[in-house]
Amino acid sequence: RKALTDLIGLQENFDLSTLHMIPRAKIQLMYSLTRNFETFQRIYDEFVRGVCIPQIEGLFACESFYYQSFPCLRIVQPHEFSIGPHADVSYGHHPCSVNFYTLLTKTGGTATLFLESQMGREDWQPITEKQADVVKAFAGAVCAHWTTENKTDYTRVSFDFRVIPSSMFHNLQCGGNIQGGQIDVYRRSPGYYCKCTRTHSINGAKWSRIGPLPEPDSRVGYPWTVKSWNKYLSQVYGSSK
């Protein structure tokens, strides 16, 4: 949270659910993130390897994981809409990926994510939390999930990302030319995934990244999908930057 609030000069304990009360704060934060993403990415990377992967490592018999090198950041202000019902395979994601949904604000009502408990059940259950700093893991690749228009009086801020056990990552043969085949479009070119392996020391086991952190690109979504910030800001606010 601090890595984000620092981008636009807010105090560390600033309540991000009130971000919409500051004119242009969302767009300023997103713009600043594309210019100075390294600190946020480094903290995120440590969070994935130090907190999230240890949560699921016992479920998989593997010594390495692939994970999204930069998360998808969601800032959904009152009266804004995020995304309709979908399972991530419909967007070309690996069918064995585990989704992690990390809340930086409270969530509930229409300012939340709705999930089905198993593939095809459509027994929608909202993620409702009265506090921030909550992490949820779910099979978002095959289980549908969605958000609706935020009709609450607060902003929902979260980030999400995907983790894949290495054995499952390589089992997918990207059969896009096969009837019923599945293709992971996010590994057609490098940079979307990082890989970490289990290493051992006198202080115990830990998950260590292989190689440097790549620069995020449009595959992680907005704000990296903006091709020209001068044009974009001019259209949104009638001014250029």
Side-chain angles (χ1 to χ4, degrees):
R1 182 185 294 105
K2 183 178 185 299
L4 292 177
T5 55
D6 281 351
L7 289 171
I8 52 176
L10 298 174
Q11 294 183 350
E12 181 178 354
N13 61 351
F14 177 81
D15 184 357
L16 287 171
S17 69
T18 66
L19 190 68
H20 60 281
M21 301 177 68
I22 303 176
R24 304 188 180 186
K26 174 181 175 178
I27 192 71
Q28 289 173 357
L29 190 155
M30 291 298 204
Y31 170 80
S32 298
L33 182 62
T34 63
R35 269 55 184 172
N36 300 283
F37 61 85
E38 291 87 355
T39 298
F40 177 77
Q41 186 180 30
R42 176 181 53 79
I43 295 172
Y44 157 75
D45 182 74
E46 294 171 353
F47 170 70
V48 175
R49 293 184 291 106
V51 177
C52 298
I53 289 179
Q55 286 186 2
I56 64 171
E57 63 177 306
L59 301 175
F60 306 99
C62 63
E63 292 294 312
S64 60
F65 283 86
Y66 287 83
Y67 60 97
Q68 205 168 312
S69 62
F70 197 92
C72 303
L73 180 63
R74 322 284 185 180
I75 301 178
V76 185
Q77 300 181 133
H79 308 298
E80 290 183 344
F81 174 79
S82 181
I83 192 168
H86 69 286
D88 287 355
V89 290
S90 62
Y91 288 95
H93 282 286
H94 196 296
C96 297
S97 58
V98 178
N99 290 46
F100 281 85
Y101 182 68
T102 307
L103 300 172
L104 300 181
T105 61
K106 62 182 180 181
T107 183
T110 56
T112 191
L113 182 70
F114 292 82
L115 312 172
E116 62 178 356
S117 61
Q118 294 183 25
M119 182 174 61
R121 280 200 172 183
E122 298 186 359
D123 53 344
W124 311 115
Q125 298 295 322
I127 294 177
T128 301
E129 298 290 344
K130 295 183 179 180
Q131 59 185 15
D133 303 324
V134 173
V135 182
K136 298 287 187 179
F138 64 99
V142 294
C143 291
H145 49 284
W146 54 281
T147 62
T148 185
E149 179 186 352
N150 182 4
K151 296 183 179 180
T152 71
D153 59 357
Y154 62 88
T155 295
R156 172 174 62 85
V157 181
S158 63
F159 64 88
D160 53 90
F161 56 94
R162 295 153 188 87
V163 175
I164 311 169
S166 59
S167 58
M168 296 180 180
F169 183 87
H170 293 295
N171 283 344
L172 181 67
Q173 298 301 313
C174 283
N177 60 341
I178 303 173
Q179 184 177 2
Q182 177 65 33
I183 185 168
D184 180 0
V185 301
Y186 292 85
R187 66 180 188 185
R188 284 176 171 170
S189 58
Y192 186 78
Y193 295 112
C194 282
K195 182 180 181 180
C196 65
T197 61
R198 191 199 307 270
T199 57
H200 301 272
S201 69
I202 59 174
N203 296 319
K206 66 176 183 178
W207 294 94
S208 301
R209 186 183 69 252
I210 298 175
L213 286 170
E215 184 173 342
D217 57 37
S218 60
R219 289 176 291 180
V220 299
Y222 182 77
W224 309 100
T225 51
V226 177
K227 296 181 179 180
S228 171
W229 277 98
N230 286 335
K231 182 178 180 180
Y232 180 73
L233 293 174
S234 179
Q235 291 175 340
V236 173
Y237 296 114
S239 62
S240 61
K241 190 175 180 72

